[in-house]
Amino acid sequence: MVTWGKRRSVRQETPRLRPRVSPTDLARVDFTELVPDPVPFLGQAAYIQLEFFESLAKAVATAPTLPAKEGLSAAAGVALRKHHALIAELRLLGVEPDDVMAPFAPATDRFRQASAGADWYELLLGIHVTSGMLDGYFSRLSSGLPSELGARVRSILHEGGSAIVLETELRSAIEAQPGLADRLALWGRSLVGDTLLIARSALRASDSADRWGAQVEPVFTELIADHTRRMDALGLTA
Amino acid sequence: MVTWGKRRSVRQETPRLRPRVSPTDLARVDFTELVPDPVPFLGQAAYIQLEFFESLAKAVATAPTLPAKEGLSAAAGVALRKHHALIAELRLLGVEPDDVMAPFAPATDRFRQASAGADWYELLLGIHVTSGMLDGYFSRLSSGLPSELGARVRSILHEGGSAIVLETELRSAIEAQPGLADRLALWGRSLVGDTLLIARSALRASDSADRWGAQVEPVFTELIADHTRRMDALGLTA
């Protein structure tokens, strides 16, 4: 899904979890060097928003109070607007969104189930952490898209309003329930690995997999720094 | 929630299921005579849309195909927009939407559960039948609101797009699965009673209960005629 840009100086490697070559042999890659293929980029980003919508709708349905239900319904609306706006971009490119999204469905569905948590609070933190990281990730990646499309995608993904709702609900729950902070801190940490795998899969579409192999840690370092800030804001140790 | 308009010639009755007076003693009431109190009207209508949203989100989450998921997500967006637009009208009236909606939550939640059905197809028909009847009902009732508010409410409730998605999915399922039509016809009939009870509750807010007692069958006759047309369009006997 992502090909390297003009500045690339990347060794051709087959994908693997641990590179066989020593790290110093590998090029370091940051966001400005990534050039995603628009169609799968939009398809994966759109399907991920649909999954956030489903998680938020579940949070609406199981909300313990009407104000929480109300706030989360607005957040669900934001995810749905992002989904439909990304779908509209796919249609502008002349492709059928369902066909483009379908390959991403199984892994994204599993990801949603894995980040749903054991109760409503874990569900909320799961959405907050994973949508925070992935919206930031796709937004940064979009700088490698053709410039007008990239600007539209950033504007779509930057629609706010969800994070504040999730943060408000989580904060008041953490204050009210002793012990919840420790449990949620653990849960938040456990979400990072799966989220980075989804982010990584966005860099490794089948047709460009053989060009994969650079050190993308610099890319992920920014995501993890954002994650830490997000957890700090809730008073949770990341 | 609803008071009678200027044209009323209604006997004052305490609410009961069967009037003790003979039917001919009762005034016949149609939609043009109903004057709903705006705040509870908007609160109940808004909460009902939130429940339709929840049902549609459940239909999204359990959709058997990606195109179905995609279409239903758009329908869920429509219900959510109606909900938020009605909430915005409550805020314009200077009231807190959660406070206004809260009294309607228990009965509406039960109604949603009762119309959820045994599988995805019954869930879809449940949404199609109940939202068709209740959107039509609240839209007609809104003609008794102050005229500008009434026009805005009708415009909110008239946003289309959901019914066609539900109809398309139901029709292709009915064609593909022998026996489904009979089961859905039965299910559709069983939904009418509960839906009319919700409609009736919109006419009977606590503060106007003692003005209740007219024959409102003409009001409900229109709803049932709409229901029959909706079932006919699916090839189902109403």
Side-chain angles (χ1 to χ4, degrees), chain B residues 150-166:
Chain B
R152 288 199 302 274
V153 167
R154 272 190 300 286
S155 145
I156 291 167
L157 292 177
H158 280 189
E159 179 177 356
S162 298
I164 188 75
V165 171
L166 294 164

Side-chain angles (χ1 to χ4, degrees), chain B residues 163-223:
Chain B
I164 188 75
V165 171
L166 294 164
E167 214 176 85
T168 306
E169 290 297 332
L170 284 166
R171 246 193 224 145
S172 67
I174 288 166
E175 276 167 27
Q177 299 178 36
L180 186 59
D182 289 344
R183 177 156 68 87
L184 287 182
L186 265 176
W187 173 239
R189 279 199 286 282
S190 76
L191 292 162
V192 174
D194 282 345
T195 310
L196 290 181
L197 282 176
I198 290 285
R200 189 180 168 112
S201 75
L203 291 176
R204 291 178 73 178
S206 52
D207 66 339
S208 62
D210 62 351
R211 282 172 290 182
W212 171 261
Q215 275 195 301
V216 291
E217 282 83 354
V219 168
F220 295 133
T221 301
E222 292 186 40
L223 295 191

Side-chain angles (χ1 to χ4, degrees), chain B:
Chain B
M1 173 168 168
V2 163
T3 56
W4 308 115
K6 285 179 189 150
R7 278 182 278 164
R8 75 193 176 202
S9 57
V10 178
R11 288 172 63 107
Q12 304 294 303
E13 289 283 328
T14 49
R16 60 179 70 100
L17 287 174
R18 293 179 174 280
R20 281 175 207 155
V21 291
S22 73
T24 49
D25 286 346
L26 292 167
R28 295 179 72 88
V29 175
D30 65 29
F31 275 109
T32 61
E33 297 173 78
L34 302 174
V35 180
D37 180 353
V39 168
F41 173 93
L42 291 167
Q44 186 174 24
Y47 197 81
I48 286 172
Q49 293 300 328
L50 187 59
E51 296 294 288
F52 288 148
F53 164 72
E54 286 189 32
S55 297
L56 283 162
K58 185 179 175 188
V60 170
T62 54
T65 67
L66 189 48
K69 193 188 270 286
E70 187 52 34
L72 288 164
S73 79
V78 172
L80 202 54
R81 273 195 294 279
K82 290 179 183 175
H83 169 70
H84 286 129
L86 292 166
I87 289 292
E89 293 293 340
L90 281 170
R91 292 221 171 86
L92 281 178
L93 294 176
V95 293
E96 168 52 46
D98 290 337
D99 298 342
V100 182
M101 290 190 293
F104 299 106
T108 317
D109 289 347
R110 279 195 302 275
F111 173 63
R112 174 173 55 79
Q113 282 153 18
S115 52
D119 64 7
W120 190 72
Y121 306 102
E122 290 189 7
L123 174 64
L124 260 56
L125 187 68
I127 301 166
H128 188 53
V129 163
T130 61
S131 68
M133 287 178 77
L134 290 179
D135 278 11
Y137 178 69
F138 279 92
S139 185
R140 284 181 173 122
L141 260 190
S142 72
S143 60
L145 293 172
S147 68
E148 286 188 19
L149 174 61
R152 288 199 302 274
V153 167
R154 272 190 300 286
S155 145
I156 291 167
L157 292 177
H158 280 189
E159 179 177 356
S162 298
I164 188 75
V165 171
L166 294 164
E167 214 176 85
T168 306
E169 290 297 332
L170 284 166
R171 246 193 224 145
S172 67
I174 288 166
E175 276 167 27
Q177 299 178 36
L180 186 59
D182 289 344
R183 177 156 68 87
L184 287 182
L186 265 176
W187 173 239
R189 279 199 286 282
S190 76
L191 292 162
V192 174
D194 282 345
T195 310
L196 290 181
L197 282 176
I198 290 285
R200 189 180 168 112
S201 75
L203 291 176
R204 291 178 73 178
S206 52
D207 66 339
S208 62
D210 62 351
R211 282 172 290 182
W212 171 261
Q215 275 195 301
V216 291
E217 282 83 354
V219 168
F220 295 133
T221 301
E222 292 186 40
L223 295 191
I224 293 168
D226 284 351
H227 169 69
T228 304
R229 279 191 289 275
R230 207 169 287 119
M231 295 288 276
D232 280 350
L234 292 170
L236 301 177
T237 313

Side-chain angles (χ1 to χ4, degrees), chain A residues 40-89:
Chain A
F41 172 93
L42 291 168
Q44 187 175 23
Y47 196 81
I48 285 172
Q49 294 300 329
L50 187 59
E51 295 293 289
F52 288 147
F53 164 73
E54 286 188 31
S55 297
L56 282 161
K58 185 179 173 189
V60 169
T62 54
T65 67
L66 189 49
K69 192 187 271 285
E70 187 51 36
L72 288 164
S73 78
V78 173
L80 202 55
R81 274 195 295 277
K82 290 179 182 175
H83 169 71
H84 286 128
L86 293 166
I87 290 292
E89 292 292 340

